[in-house]
Amino acid sequence: MKTISEAEIEEFGRELDKIRDDVIASRGEDDARYIRRVIAVQRALEVSGRALLFASVLPPAWLAGTAALATAKILENMEIGHNVLHGQWDWMRDPAIHSSTWEWDLVSPARHWKYTHNYLHHKWTNVLGKDRDIGFVLLRLSPEQPWHPYYLGQPLYNAILAPFFEWGVALHDLEVERLRGGDKSWAEVFAQVREILRKAGRQAVKDYVAFPLLAGPLFLPVLIGNFTANMTRNVWAHTVIFCGHFPDEAATFTEEQVEGETRGEWYLRQLLGSCNLTGGSLFHIMAGNLSYQIEHHLFPDLPSNRYAEVAPRVRALCERFGLPYNTGSLLRQTARVWKRVFRLALPTPTPKSRAGCPTPALTQAA
Amino acid sequence: MTGLARTPIDDVTLRLADTAAWLTTPLMPEDYLTLINPLWSSRELRGRVEAVHPETKDVASLVIRPGRSWSTHRAGQFIRVGVDIDGVRHWRTYSLSSAPERGDGRVTITVKSVPGGVVSTHLVHRTTPGTIVGLTRPEGGFVLPEPVPSRLLFVTAGSGITPVMAMLRSLARPGEMPDVIVLHSAPTREEVIFGPELRTLAGRFPHLLLHEQHTRSSGRLNLSQLPDLCPDWPERHVWACGPTGMLREAETYWREAGIADRLRMEHFRPAVTTSAAGGGGHVRFLVSGREADADGATPLLVVGENAGVLMPSGCRMGICYRCTGRLRSGRVRDLRTGREYGEEGELIQTCVSAADGNVEIEL
Ligand SMILES: Cc1cc2nc3c(=O)[nH]c(=O)nc-3n(C[C@H](O)[C@H](O)[C@H](O)COP(=O)(O)OP(=O)(O)OC[C@H]3O[C@@H](n4cnc5c(N)ncnc54)[C@H](O)[C@@H]3O)c2cc1C
Ligand code: FES
C-alpha cells in the first residue's frame, strides 16, 4: 500500500461526495417500490411461517414454518429495521417507513439503538474509547485495548453472545460502563431498563406465550419454533455484523488521530475500518446489505438497495488512490474474526504505531 | 353523520385491535391488513382514485373513494391530499368539488395544473385510476351557513370555482335554488371549468344567473361593473375565490362599502411570499415556544440551542437523524449542498439546515 497525501485524501472525499450526490439525484419511484416490496414480502413470510407452525403436527411443517419465520425476522431486523432506522428511507416522507417512527422486532427499543449505533458507532467508527461497538465492551478486539485476565474467556463469551445477540444489544445500549465515570446516572439507567423491560416483555409474550397458547395442543412446537427463529436471527446478525468490522484487516484508531478530522479523512477512516462480504443478491438482502459494509459506512443514509451499484465505483476509487478495499467470503471473514477473538484473548504487546495505517494526516496527529 | 362520534362497533373493533396487537407487536394488526387493502388504515386516512375526468385541457376532476374514518364534508371545505411522486410524498390542499349529498361514498377534487407545478401536473396528467393517495378530513370555514341566506353572490376566477361548484351542486339537490348570482372569470369560454354544467344549471333554475367573463376577449372583471351586473350586491352574502389580486380588490371594495362581514374568501396561495434571497430569517420553535433570529449560515440546531430550546441532536453532521424536527412553515437551506428545500410537514435535519426566510418548526 502506497502512502496517500493530504490533497489526495480530499480529492478522494470529493469523488465520494460525487457518488453520493449521484445516488441522491436518482433516488425515486423504483427505490420506493423496492422497500415497500421487501416489507410486503417480509410480512407475508412472517404470517405464513406462523401459520405453518400452527400445522406442526407434521414435522416438515414445523421445519418450514420455523425457516420462514427466521427468514422473516432476519429481513425485518436487517434489510428493513436497521436501514429504516438509519434514515435511509426518510426521503420518501412516508411516516410508516420513517426513522422517527419505526420500531423493530427486537428486545431493544429502536430509540436507544439509534443513539449508540447511528451516533456513537457511525460517527466514531473504530475509534477506541468512543466506538462502543469495538468488541461491544465485552471483548478485546483491538491490540490497543489493554489486556486483562478477564479476556481469557472471550471465545466463550462470544459464543454465548451470538445466540443472545438481541439481548446483548439491549444491554449494550444501556452504557452501564459510563456509570463508573459518573457520565450517566443510575436514574437514567433505570428509566432505560424500564423501557427495555416493557419492550422485551411484549416481545416475549408474543413469541413465548400468546402464539403458543393460541396453538393449543401445539404449545410446545410453536414455542420451540419461535425460539429457534429468534436464535437463528441472532446468530446470523452477530455473524454478519462482526464480519463488518473485526476481521484482521480492519483498522482501529485513537481519539487523537481523529481530532480535527476533515471530510476526506472521515471517509478514509470509514473505509479502513470496514470489510465487505461477497455473495449473490439474495445473500446481500439477507445480510441487510451490511455485506456492503464499506459503502454503508461511507454513505450510512443512502438506500441500501443502491450499495451494490455504487460498490464498483468505490472500489475503482480505492484502486486509483492505492487504498485497500477489504472484502472476502462469509466463511473466510468469519474465520478471521474468530482468529482475532482467540488471539487477543491472550496478552499481546500494545503496538506503538498502527501498521497499515496509510494516512500521514492520521499518523502525524497520533 | 358526523364521522367523529364513536359507535359501539368502533369500540369493539378498537378493543379487538388492541388484543391482536399482542400478536403483532411492535407493529399493529393494520400494518399487515393494509397490505391487503390500503384503505383499511385507521392511523392514516387514505383514498383510492377511481376515475379521472378531464374538464378542460389543463384541468381534471379526480373521483376518490376515501377509506375508513372519513367524515362527510360541508360544501366549500377543503382536504389535504398526499401524493407519491418519484417515491416522495407531497401534500397539497384541494377544495372538494362534489356535493356532500353525492351519496355513493365518493368525493371529487378538481385540479388545475399550474406551469411547473409538481403536484398539480402530476394529478392532472399522470394519475391513473387505482392510485392510492393520503387524505385528511375536510376542514375550513368557507361554507354556506344554516339556514342558507335567500340571496347569494359568488365571485370566482379560474380554479376558484371548485369550492363554489360544491355549493352550487349542493344547493341544486333539493330541486329548488335560492336567488344566486355567479360572476365567473376565465380566459376563454372553453377554459371555463364546469362550463357545460354551470350553463345547464343556469338554464334549469331561473333564479340562478351566470355571468361568464372571458378575459381574453373582454378583459378582466372590474368591480365597478358590479352594480350593473348585480344591482342588489350590498344585500347579498358573498363568497369569493380566485387569484390573490382579485381577492385583494374584493376585500377593499366590500370594506369601503362598510359591509366587509358579508364577504367570505378562500385563498389558494399565501398572500405574501417570504424568503428573501440571501437566507436567514426569524425562527419560531413551536413546541418550546421560543423564537430567534437566524442567519443563513447557522444550522437551526445551533439557533435552537442558543435560544435555550432542548434540541435533540447526535452526530451534528447529517448522518444520524436524531435532530429532526417537523417543519410547519417556511423554507430551509441544506448547508451541505446549498439546496433550498422544505415543505409543510416535512421532517428536516436541523443540524445541516439553515433558515431561508422565516421558519416555523415543531421543536
Ligand atoms: C384552501 C386551498 C384550496 C385549494 N383548492 C384548490 C383546488 O380546488 N384546485 C386547484 O387546482 N388548486 C387548489 N389549491 C392550490 C393547490 O393547493 C396547489 O397550491 C396547486 O395545485 C399548486 O401545487 P403544485 O404542487 O402543482 O405547485 P408547486 O410545485 O408547489 O409550485 C410550482 C409553481 O406554481 C406556483 N403556484 C403555486 N400554487 C399556485 C396556484 N394555486 N396557482 C398558480 N400558481 C401556483 C408556485 O409559486 C410555483 O412557482 C388550493 C389551495 C388552498 C390553500
Ligand atoms: S444531529 Fe445528526 S443528523 Fe442531525
Side-chain angles (χ1 to χ4, degrees):
Chain A
M1 185 164 49
K2 68 171 198 192
T3 52
I4 178 169
S5 72
E6 259 170 76
E8 280 176 314
I9 294 177
E10 292 323 301
E11 175 63 13
F12 175 66
R14 274 190 297 276
E15 291 288 338
L16 287 171
D17 276 339
K18 223 182 284 165
I19 296 179
R20 179 186 166 79
D21 292 344
D22 286 349
V23 173
I24 288 178
S26 62
R27 267 185 325 209
E29 204 165 332
D30 289 343
D31 304 289
R33 204 174 302 121
Y34 170 80
I35 189 65
R36 293 209 169 94
R37 206 175 56 207
V38 174
I39 290 174
V41 166
Q42 184 272 325
R43 289 181 190 166
L45 258 177
E46 184 186 343
V47 171
S48 335
R50 295 201 187 272
L52 279 166
L53 278 174
F54 274 26
S56 54
V57 259
L58 312 164
W62 184 88
L63 210 63
T66 305
L69 190 57
T71 311
K73 280 178 178 276
I74 286 169
L75 279 177
E76 194 274 346
N77 184 206
M78 306 197 66
E79 181 60 348
I80 304 170
H82 167 266
N83 295 334
V84 169
L85 289 176
H86 260 293
Q88 291 184 5
W89 302 99
D90 284 7
W91 59 274
M92 287 164 46
R93 299 188 210 147
D94 180 347
I97 311 179
H98 201 280
S99 63
S100 62
T101 57
W102 194 268
E103 191 52 80
W104 56 4
D105 183 22
L106 281 185
V107 292
S108 59
R111 203 174 58 82
H112 297 177
W113 182 85
K114 267 195 284 183
Y115 173 71
T116 53
H117 180 85
N118 283 12
Y119 167 49
L120 291 179
H121 170 58
H122 272 271
K123 178 162 181 167
W124 301 105
T125 309
N126 284 20
V127 175
L128 290 159
K130 277 283 187 182
D131 180 3
R132 302 172 58 260
D133 281 17
I134 301 181
F136 292 90
V137 191
L138 197 68
L139 310 174
R140 176 169 181 254
L141 288 177
S142 161
E144 279 91 347
Q145 282 168 283
W147 184 82
H148 185 276
Y150 157 85
Y151 290 118
L152 283 171
Q154 74 174 10
L156 181 68
Y157 313 149
N158 198 32
I160 296 172
L161 176 65
F164 295 97
F165 194 50
E166 62 176 318
W167 293 95
V169 170
L171 295 179
H172 176 60
D173 289 346
L174 279 179
E175 305 179 285
V176 279
E177 78 279 7
R178 283 178 54 209
L179 278 171
R180 221 179 310 145
D183 295 354
K184 194 162 183 171
S185 68
W186 277 103
E188 275 177 88
V189 172
F190 277 133
Q192 259 182 306
V193 167
R194 251 198 311 277
E195 239 181 291
I196 294 173
L197 287 180
R198 201 175 317 126
K199 172 94 199 280
R202 281 185 80 94
Q203 292 290 125
V205 167
K206 169 177 76 166
D207 280 337
Y208 305 132
V209 181
F211 275 109
L213 276 179
L214 268 183
L218 294 174
F219 184 94
L220 214 56
V222 168
L223 186 140
I224 296 171
N226 291 350
F227 182 77
T228 312
N230 279 330
M231 295 299 115
T232 310
R233 187 262 328 275
N234 289 346
V235 170
W236 177 251
H238 173 271
T239 306
V240 170
I241 287 165
F242 270 65
C243 284
H245 294 300
F246 316 126
D248 252 351
E249 59 267 62
T252 50
F253 307 88
T254 62
E255 263 179 80
E256 298 80 62
Q257 280 178 311
V258 300
E259 218 178 76
E261 193 178 52
T262 64
R263 182 138 181 92
E265 288 164 349
W266 181 80
Y267 270 135
L268 186 57
R269 176 159 56 86
Q270 300 302 324
L271 170 76
L272 298 177
S274 310
C275 301
N276 281 7
L277 292 170
T278 51
S281 56
L282 195 62
F283 167 74
H284 290 300
I285 292 177
M286 292 303 288
N289 278 299
L290 289 181
S291 40
Y292 292 108
Q293 187 74 232
I294 294 174
E295 288 71 22
H296 174 58
H297 262 269
L298 296 172
F299 315 116
D301 59 351
L302 290 187
S304 57
N305 62 322
R306 294 298 196 90
Y307 291 151
E309 154 199 329
V310 302
R313 291 178 67 183
V314 172
R315 195 167 189 159
L317 269 186
C318 291
E319 263 156 41
R320 185 176 131 202
F321 290 98
L323 295 167
Y325 184 91
N326 301 324
T327 183
S329 69
L330 183 67
L331 211 65
R332 196 191 94 154
Q333 300 298 75
T334 307
R336 293 181 154 216
V337 169
W338 278 98
K339 204 175 98 192
R340 192 157 163 173
V341 170
F342 274 99
R343 191 159 40 77
L344 294 176
L346 301 171
T348 49
T350 310
K352 275 182 210 71
S353 85
R354 179 95 184 117
C357 188
T359 94
L362 291 176
T363 38
Q364 270 160 27
Chain B
M1 192 175 107
T2 64
L4 284 169
R6 268 186 19 206
T7 63
I9 307 243
D10 287 340
D11 281 337
V12 171
T13 322
L14 257 169
R15 228 166 285 148
L16 269 177
D18 262 4
T19 314
W22 283 99
L23 298 175
T24 57
T25 189
L27 299 178
M28 296 301 286
E30 72 169 65
D31 289 313
Y32 295 83
L33 295 174
T34 49
L35 293 175
I36 304 168
N37 183 349
L39 299 197
W40 286 342
S41 174
S42 62
R43 202 167 35 203
E44 263 185 281
L45 179 57
R46 296 188 184 128
R48 179 183 285 109
V49 176
E50 295 199 329
V52 181
H53 300 303
E55 301 281 356
T56 70
K57 67 179 189 320
D58 54 3
V59 176
S61 288
L62 283 79
V63 182
I64 300 171
R65 180 176 297 283
R68 285 173 44 187
S69 75
W70 172 257
S71 56
T72 310
H73 68 286
R74 293 178 65 187
Q77 286 191 308
F78 59 81
I79 55 172
R80 303 207 314 127
V81 181
V83 192
D84 285 348
I85 302 169
D86 292 332
V88 182
R89 185 145 317 158
H90 298 263
W91 286 90
R92 293 289 186 279
T93 309
Y94 292 98
S95 305
L96 290 160
S97 52
S98 55
E101 299 85 0
R102 191 182 153 107
D104 64 353
R106 305 190 295 176
V107 296
T108 65
I109 57 169
T110 302
V111 182
K112 179 182 166 61
S113 80
V114 307
V118 176
V119 176
S120 60
T121 38
H122 183 88
L123 286 175
V124 173
H125 299 297
R126 289 191 299 276
T127 302
T128 49
T131 305
I132 300 293
V133 292
L135 299 175
T136 60
R137 289 187 185 167
E139 57 191 300
F142 190 69
V143 292
L144 294 172
E146 292 285 349
V148 178
S150 54
R151 280 187 285 176
L152 302 91
L153 168 63
F154 296 113
V155 185
T156 56
S159 57
I161 188 70
T162 47
V164 168
M165 197 64 216
M167 296 184 197
L168 292 174
R169 284 170 169 167
S170 183
L171 290 170
R173 287 271 153 172
E176 206 182 307
M177 181 68 78
D179 188 338
V180 174
I181 293 182
V182 180
L183 305 181
H184 180 66
S185 303
T188 62
R189 183 179 161 88
E190 289 68 45
E191 285 172 78
V192 173
I193 306 171
F194 308 122
E197 189 176 347
L198 285 169
R199 288 163 210 138
T200 309
L201 280 176
R204 215 173 105 204
F205 298 104
H207 291 310
L208 196 163
L209 189 103
L210 172 68
H211 171 83
E212 290 181 37
Q213 181 86 9
H214 303 140
T215 55
R216 196 154 302 152
S217 52
S218 323
R220 287 181 45 211
L221 180 82
N222 195 322
L223 286 177
S224 62
Q225 295 166 257
L226 193 61
D228 292 333
L229 293 167
C230 174
D232 63 347
W233 68 272
E235 276 109 68
R236 287 181 182 261
H237 286 267
V238 191
W239 282 260
C241 184
T244 310
M246 181 199 108
L247 294 178
R248 201 172 288 146
E249 265 175 52
E251 196 176 5
T252 315
Y253 196 79
W254 264 267
R255 183 160 25 83
E256 284 175 357
I259 44 172
D261 57 329
R262 299 229 142 184
L263 174 70
R264 294 174 180 82
M265 295 185 291
E266 186 80 304
H267 290 87
F268 279 8
R269 302 181 67 180
V272 282
T273 34
T274 43
S275 124
H282 191 69
V283 184
R284 293 187 54 211
F285 298 92
L286 299 176
V287 177
S288 50
R290 290 177 203 246
E291 303 189 13
D293 283 307
D295 64 42
T298 311
L300 289 173
L301 175 61
V302 175
V303 174
E305 286 174 341
N306 289 344
V309 183
L310 272 179
M311 303 282 286
S313 71
C315 68
R316 306 179 80 92
M317 57 184 290
I319 57 171
C320 79
Y321 288 81
R322 278 175 54 82
C323 61
T324 57
R326 207 172 284 283
L327 196 64
R328 270 299 152 228
S329 75
R331 302 276 286 173
V332 294
R333 194 172 290 281
D334 189 327
L335 291 168
R336 296 172 295 184
T337 59
R339 186 177 65 99
E340 185 213 330
Y341 75 106
E343 289 183 15
E344 193 206 314
E346 189 175 354
L347 280 163
I348 60 161
Q349 289 169 278
T350 57
C351 72
V352 287
S353 307
D356 197 18
N358 295 346
V359 165
E360 287 183 305
I361 188 162
E362 261 184 33
L363 275 173

